[in-house]
Amino acid sequence: MRPSSTLLLVLGLSSTLTACGGEARSQASASPVVETTVAEPQYESIEQFESAAIKRDVPYVPTPQETVDEMLRLAQVSRDDLVYDLGSGDGRIVITAAKKHGARGVGIDIDPTRIEEANENARTAGVTDKVKFVQGDLFNADLGQATAVTLYLLRSVNLRLRPKLLAELRPGTPVVSHDFDMGEWAPDDHKRVGDDDIYLWIVPAKVDGNWQWKDAAGRSIVATIEQEFQTFTGTARADGDRYNLRNGRINGAEVSFELVRAGDETAPVLERYAGKLANGAIQGRITAGNRQAAWLAKHD
Ligand SMILES: C[S@@+](CC[C@H](N)C(=O)[O-])C[C@H]1O[C@@H](n2cnc3c(N)ncnc32)[C@H](O)[C@@H]1O
């Protein structure tokens, strides 16, 4: 995963400037007769002054339009969606979602100047009935209504945001990030547009914990699942026999795995399970050789 990005270049530049400032100060203090004048910053409006005083987690750098287009394509945004752009800048992502895909959108940005720009851009694009821009900290936003989320933040900010995304977004919600990944939460898809990386994750349902079901032969199975983002492993028991759950995958609310005898890494698959989680139960099919059976698993 490529570490370079326009955003990182911007951050690199600002840390170089800070370092130069520090060096100049230490030279000045070596000479007792140096007089220094510090220019007062000039602001043209209250908004500019407020903007300068804000503590941002990420500087403002807009996503190129062709990358915006690909982000929305990768998330399969449609007219049924409510797209949240966290750190929305001039509003281009939610405005494009509205204009090209007929979606509704919410942009959240901590900087009032960006919110003003975004509202102006929404008016120019004729989509004020579909989009809303809210000034605030993205970490305080309620994401429960979002059906797609877009990000152009930093990796460290993505990592801080990750638990909130997993807790608040519904299973199956696409999250798309320009240039920065989510650490151990591996992307479900990745695209490259010019110099930009785009990562896609589908929020997985939560399947961690204890489950019970009947296998294809009608025996009662008691299983414990350990989830790691969109993958899982597990152990199971039936009639005193021990089994492992292998190749566990979660795609939104869709759950699948293989059941094998425990204690043998190369053990053949006894049963394949595939189903959908809703209201604390998984319903689907079990395939054992050429036999099929209904599968209903209940969370303890
Ligand atoms: C890299 S820009 C991305 C802008 C836009 N999403 C795009 O892709 O064109 C990041 C934006 O996040 C905003 N931001 C930084 N920290 C924030 C925070 N804690 N809450 C909300 N917005 C924040 C900045 O003001 C900036 O506009």
Side-chain angles (χ1 to χ4, degrees):
M1 304 201 176
R2 202 176 49 102
S4 81
S5 128
T6 316
L7 243 178
L8 285 181
L9 289 176
V10 169
L11 283 175
L13 181 64
S14 58
S15 63
T16 313
L17 291 173
T18 312
C20 290
E23 198 180 309
R25 268 196 304 280
S26 63
Q27 276 169 4
S29 62
S31 159
V33 288
V34 172
E35 265 182 38
T36 48
T37 355
V38 179
E40 288 291 329
Q42 300 294 312
Y43 302 108
E44 283 172 12
S45 64
I46 290 282
E47 286 76 21
Q48 247 188 38
F49 170 76
E50 281 177 358
S51 227
I54 284 161
K55 196 194 157 300
R56 295 170 195 78
D57 289 292
V58 186
Y60 174 56
V61 178
T63 295
Q65 187 60 44
E66 59 167 352
T67 304
V68 171
D69 291 338
E70 190 53 40
M71 288 169 81
L72 296 172
R73 254 199 304 273
L74 198 58
Q76 299 189 7
V77 166
S78 76
R79 57 183 303 111
D80 299 328
D81 277 311
L82 177 59
V83 180
Y84 271 57
D85 186 27
L86 304 182
S88 48
D90 67 359
R92 61 183 60 201
I93 296 184
V94 291
I95 290 170
T96 305
K99 213 170 159 69
K100 293 195 178 165
H101 300 269
R104 289 173 303 128
V106 176
I108 296 163
D109 205 290
I110 205 157
D111 186 336
T113 304
R114 298 280 93 80
I115 296 293
E116 221 176 82
E117 258 171 36
N119 279 324
E120 183 56 40
N121 291 340
R123 274 192 289 277
T124 307
V127 293
T128 48
D129 57 330
K130 288 189 171 295
V131 303
K132 182 167 93 173
F133 294 100
V134 181
Q135 193 220 328
D137 189 328
L138 62 93
F139 284 97
N140 297 333
D142 176 355
L143 307 179
Q145 297 304 308
T147 63
V149 171
T150 57
L151 310 170
Y152 184 24
L153 301 169
L154 287 167
R155 188 169 193 263
S156 57
V157 182
N158 281 358
L159 292 183
R160 274 167 53 211
L161 189 60
R162 196 173 73 184
K164 182 174 169 70
L165 297 173
L166 288 165
E168 292 184 24
L169 296 174
R170 282 168 285 195
T173 306
V175 177
V176 186
S177 169
H178 170 189
D179 265 348
F180 298 99
D181 68 24
M182 294 267 183
E184 310 86 63
W185 185 11
D188 294 297
D189 204 350
H190 168 241
K191 284 248 151 50
R192 194 121 166 98
V193 178
D195 285 341
D196 295 340
D197 284 295
I198 305 174
Y199 300 99
L200 167 77
W201 297 265
I202 303 295
V203 172
K206 294 171 190 66
V207 298
D208 231 10
N210 298 327
W211 291 85
Q212 295 191 29
W213 67 80
K214 294 228 188 293
D215 72 3
R219 295 182 313 159
S220 290
I221 300 248
V222 178
T224 303
I225 287 179
E226 282 184 32
Q227 181 172 354
E228 178 81 3
F229 304 107
Q230 68 276 68
T231 66
F232 63 89
T233 55
T235 54
R237 283 175 180 276
D239 295 343
D241 293 327
R242 289 173 50 245
Y243 301 92
N244 285 337
L245 276 54
R246 203 163 67 186
N247 291 330
R249 293 280 315 168
I250 310 157
N251 182 4
E254 307 280 343
V255 180
S256 62
F257 63 90
E258 300 163 348
L259 193 76
V260 297
R261 203 166 278 284
D264 178 3
E265 284 303 304
T266 60
V269 175
L270 300 173
E271 294 182 332
R272 286 177 209 281
Y273 287 77
K276 190 168 182 173
L277 180 103
N279 306 319
I282 306 172
Q283 267 191 293
R285 312 263 343 137
I286 311 172
T287 308
N290 50 16
R291 221 156 29 106
Q292 292 247 332
W295 177 38
L296 175 62
K298 297 233 170 94
H299 219 309
D300 269 0

